[in-house]
Amino acid sequence: MVLYVFSVKAWTPPIPGIAEVFHAHYVDHVYPSHTHDTWTLLIVDDGAIRYDLDRHEHGAVRPGITLLPPHVPHDGRSATRGGFRKRVLYLEPSLLDDRLVGAAVDSPSLPDELLRLRVDRLHAALADPSNALEAESRLAFIRERLVRHLGGRPQPDAGVDRGVAGRLRELLDERIAAGITLREAAGVLRCHPTHLVRAFTRRFGLPPHAYLTGRRIDAARRLLLAGRPAAEVAWLTGFYDQAHLTRHFKKHLGTTPGRFATRG
């Protein structure tokens, strides 16, 4: 069989729990039977995939979610003449309990529109290396939903904790430029990551990553009006580069940093 690939893109994001991100468009490629040492979380954007998992035939098609457990043989091939496009997250085995492997083998397909939306938004966040806090937050909620699908016991919900939410805001305000990972914040505040994000969002009306971006925009505005060049402002306020600053600045204010400074 000739391998015919329209596109392949893979990278390792700086997000604990994600070993690799893989996007591909295959037409007539056939995966031989193989295993991974990670969980495989897959969504199909176009076409359909047929695959055997542990000698049982399955299919993957939009809008479903497919979760393949580690160390279980599977293959893969297109179920349509036009091939398929897929996006895959290879998740570290420690992200999900080994006791959930059996449930994933029995039911690898998860018909869950909300889960698919969350996975799609996580892929979008992972495309920008400066969105680490957002990506961690989204991954925490995806993990929680996967555990529920597989019949595991989710972490107990601590409910609304105004004290924890306030302390997280203080941490974010202290580290506007440097930022903080969700895992680090959860460790400092001794709170489960999903509970931390929920408590913050319920109290302040937006998730921690959106709050941090807004604070960075506020800091950037002051520096721009003080005459600092946009490239320097991006570095001082925690944006990945000037293009990253410009994208978020336009989203918040409808204009570029340069025009904002000139009119100011």
Side-chain angles (χ1 to χ4, degrees), residues 46 142 184 262:
D46 282 310
I142 288 170
E184 182 183 1
T262 300

Side-chain angles (χ1 to χ4, degrees), residues 1-6 8 24-32 84:
M1 178 70 68
V2 176
L3 174 65
Y4 184 52
V5 182
F6 276 170
V8 164
H25 180 181
Y26 288 120
V27 174
D28 54 6
H29 176 52
V30 176
Y31 281 104
F84 60 86

Side-chain angles (χ1 to χ4, degrees), residues 18-210:
I18 302 180
E20 181 187 324
V21 185
F22 182 71
H23 296 180
H25 180 181
Y26 288 120
V27 174
D28 54 6
H29 176 52
V30 176
Y31 281 104
S33 184
H34 63 286
T35 65
H36 296 287
D37 60 358
T38 57
W39 292 85
T40 302
L41 184 61
L42 178 152
I43 58 175
V44 176
D45 291 313
D46 282 310
I49 303 172
R50 292 173 53 203
Y51 65 94
D52 291 333
L53 177 69
D54 195 33
R55 300 184 298 277
H56 291 85
E57 188 173 31
H58 298 275
V61 65
R62 185 186 182 117
I65 307 290
T66 299
L67 180 67
L68 307 179
H71 306 300
V72 179
H74 59 278
D75 58 13
R77 61 269 187 202
S78 177
T80 60
R81 295 185 61 184
F84 60 86
R85 287 192 299 123
K86 67 175 183 177
R87 287 176 288 165
V88 184
L89 298 173
Y90 292 102
L91 306 177
E92 297 288 357
S94 59
L95 198 70
L96 296 170
D97 195 304
D98 288 344
R99 289 172 292 184
L100 302 178
V101 167
V105 171
D106 293 340
S107 302
S109 299
L110 308 176
D112 185 332
E113 293 183 5
L114 177 58
L115 179 58
R116 182 188 170 88
L117 177 62
R118 288 179 173 176
V119 173
D120 178 73
R121 289 178 174 174
L122 175 55
H123 276 282
L126 291 169
D128 188 336
S130 63
N131 284 343
L133 180 58
E134 176 183 356
E136 276 191 279
S137 301
R138 295 195 182 283
L139 178 61
F141 283 97
I142 288 170
R143 176 194 175 279
E144 180 183 69
R145 202 161 182 88
L146 289 174
V147 169
R148 288 177 176 170
H149 270 291
L150 298 177
R153 296 177 61 186
Q155 293 287 334
D157 195 337
V160 179
D161 186 333
R162 297 177 64 85
V164 165
R167 293 196 296 274
L168 176 56
R169 186 171 69 171
E170 291 173 359
L171 281 176
L172 295 173
D173 288 342
E174 291 169 1
R175 308 187 192 188
I176 290 176
I180 186 171
T181 68
L182 184 60
R183 174 177 290 187
E184 182 183 1
V188 170
L189 300 176
R190 298 182 181 181
C191 181
H192 191 271
T194 54
H195 302 161
L196 188 58
V197 175
R198 281 197 179 101
F200 189 94
T201 303
R202 288 170 180 170
R203 179 170 180 188
F204 298 115
L206 72 172
H209 68 268

Side-chain angles (χ1 to χ4, degrees), residues 249-261:
F249 206 90
K250 288 182 69 176
K251 182 178 180 179
H252 277 250
L253 297 176
T255 188
T256 66
R259 290 176 179 172
F260 176 84

